[in-house]
Amino acid sequence: MGTTKNRPISCKIRGICSRRYQWFIPFSFNLSGNKGLLLLLIAILLLASCKTVPIQDRNFAERDGFLEQSENTGFRVHHNAGTDNAVIGSMYASGKSALLNGARVKIAAKVKNNSFVSTGPQSSARVEFKALDSSCLIRVDRFNVGNAYADTSDCQQNIETLHARIQAKDAILHISVSQHQTEVLVLSGVIKVILLEDATQSIDVRADHGIIITHDAINRPYPVTPDEVWQRIRWRGDFQLYKKVIDWNKVIAVAVTVAIVAAAILLSRGHGGGGRGSSFPGHR
């Protein structure tokens, strides 16, 4: 997509935002006896930090896909190749009641395997998955109520609701779950729907079609119009999600300023050392 060319570099690269003072470690500086340069280096570390910006392209998905959920809903996520402590993605939060394993997430957080993501009133969350190997299988369960929008990309997502198991890969879909039924709209690709109570009952649903599943039956797929799709997914526009990116303009500006000041300090020290070196030691 053309919109991804100018996409800011995410601060999750090497954990710059979460550990903002560690990204200078690979560089070697001889700061012994030079408190001025040390203070300047600290200034770089403080000023060249990350900034919080809105996620502009909510329809963009890496090859591992994502899942967004509306308010008052929740689900548990599992990755087939990860241990409990393995990081399988990132969560982006909107509102005061976006929770990861019961703890509030203000902007973003890493999602470990088998985590539970939930939202309360006027809150939403987005989980961007991270493939741990070439065979990416994401399992989503305990999705018992609410709306979700999923772009599976190259990963396979197996989503379990109160009424159905949904298998999707290379597909975009919207899921709405209530106590009595699960409705699935397929925006692109083809998905498989399996009745939860009877795995022998299943059906494939292709793009631009919807389907309703109850506790004991899978109804026939029906065509949906773009307007119907928009009406279902418009809740996404009610929530703004944010992420942290590196402000490279600030980094460059601060680096240039510090370089100039550091050069001036070194130059002045060099002149001072030359003056002292030209004098002869005193004799007693």
Side-chain angles (χ1 to χ4, degrees), residues 83-118:
T83 63
D84 285 345
N85 290 324
V87 174
I88 63 171
S90 299
M91 171 184 168
Y92 300 95
S94 176
K96 298 181 178 180
S97 302
L99 308 177
L100 179 62
N101 296 321
R104 182 191 171 192
V105 175
K106 293 183 179 181
I107 298 176
K110 298 298 183 183
V111 178
K112 293 185 177 181
N113 206 9
N114 306 315
S115 291
F116 190 74
V117 182
S118 61

Side-chain angles (χ1 to χ4, degrees), residues 63-64 76-84 86-89 111-115 128-140 155-156:
R63 70 181 188 89
D64 312 324
R76 188 173 294 278
V77 291
H78 315 264
H79 194 289
N80 65 316
T83 63
D84 285 345
V87 174
I88 63 171
V111 178
K112 293 185 177 181
N113 206 9
N114 306 315
S115 291
E128 294 184 358
F129 295 108
K130 172 186 177 182
L132 302 181
D133 58 17
S134 57
S135 59
C136 179
L137 175 60
I138 302 294
R139 181 163 57 89
V140 178
C155 276
Q156 178 170 319

Side-chain angles (χ1 to χ4, degrees), residues 2 6 11 22 37 42 44-45 62 85 88 95 111 120 134 156 184 189 197-198 203 208 214 218 230 233-234 260 274:
N6 296 324
C11 283
Q22 295 184 10
L37 286 180
I42 294 175
I44 292 178
L45 299 177
E62 299 286 356
N85 290 324
I88 63 171
V111 178
S134 57
Q156 178 170 319
V184 185
E197 297 296 328
D198 183 3
I203 191 172
D208 302 322
T214 61
I218 299 177
W230 169 247
I233 69 173
R234 63 185 304 176
I260 294 173

Side-chain angles (χ1 to χ4, degrees), residues 28-283:
S28 176
F29 296 94
N30 182 12
L31 297 176
S32 60
N34 195 333
K35 294 182 179 180
L37 286 180
L38 179 60
L39 292 176
L40 289 174
L41 179 58
I42 294 175
I44 292 178
L45 299 177
L46 293 175
L47 294 175
S49 58
C50 295
K51 64 179 180 180
T52 302
V53 299
I55 297 178
Q56 298 291 350
D57 189 356
R58 296 270 290 277
N59 295 321
F60 173 80
E62 299 286 356
R63 70 181 188 89
D64 312 324
F66 68 85
L67 182 66
E68 284 189 20
Q69 63 190 101
S70 66
E71 62 181 353
N72 299 318
T73 188
F75 53 76
R76 188 173 294 278
V77 291
H78 315 264
H79 194 289
N80 65 316
T83 63
D84 285 345
N85 290 324
V87 174
I88 63 171
S90 299
M91 171 184 168
Y92 300 95
S94 176
K96 298 181 178 180
S97 302
L99 308 177
L100 179 62
N101 296 321
R104 182 191 171 192
V105 175
K106 293 183 179 181
I107 298 176
K110 298 298 183 183
V111 178
K112 293 185 177 181
N113 206 9
N114 306 315
S115 291
F116 190 74
V117 182
S118 61
T119 57
Q122 300 179 354
S123 298
S124 176
R126 172 187 175 106
V127 178
E128 294 184 358
F129 295 108
K130 172 186 177 182
L132 302 181
D133 58 17
S134 57
S135 59
C136 179
L137 175 60
I138 302 294
R139 181 163 57 89
V140 178
D141 60 24
R142 294 178 61 182
F143 180 20
N144 297 333
V145 65
N147 297 308
Y149 179 94
D151 187 334
T152 66
S153 195
D154 292 340
C155 276
Q156 178 170 319
Q157 291 186 21
N158 291 347
I159 304 171
E160 182 177 303
T161 74
L162 290 173
H163 317 93
R165 291 188 180 95
I166 303 160
Q167 298 178 353
K169 185 177 182 180
D170 297 320
I172 301 175
L173 59 153
H174 182 270
I175 307 170
S176 181
V177 182
S178 66
Q179 180 180 356
H180 303 291
Q181 68 178 37
T182 294
E183 180 188 47
V184 185
L185 301 185
V186 183
L187 283 65
S188 71
V190 179
I191 70 169
K192 179 181 286 294
V193 176
I194 304 169
L195 188 65
L196 186 63
E197 297 296 328
D198 183 3
T200 63
Q201 297 189 44
S202 65
I203 191 172
D204 292 340
V205 186
R206 57 188 175 87
D208 302 322
H209 284 74
I211 192 168
I212 292 177
I213 310 98
T214 61
H215 287 289
D216 54 7
I218 299 177
N219 296 327
R220 295 181 61 84
Y222 55 88
V224 293
T225 65
D227 184 65
E228 288 174 316
V229 172
W230 169 247
Q231 291 299 324
R232 297 296 196 282
I233 69 173
R234 63 185 304 176
W235 59 267
R236 298 179 69 210
D238 296 334
F239 303 98
Q240 180 63 68
L241 300 170
Y242 297 86
K243 64 180 178 179
K244 292 184 177 181
V245 298
I246 302 174
D247 189 347
W248 287 110
N249 290 331
K250 180 183 289 186
V251 171
I252 293 172
V254 173
V256 170
T257 302
V258 170
I260 294 173
V261 175
I265 293 176
L266 291 174
L267 186 61
S268 64
R269 291 181 70 241
H271 286 172
R276 289 190 298 270
S278 61
S279 61
F280 293 96
H283 296 276

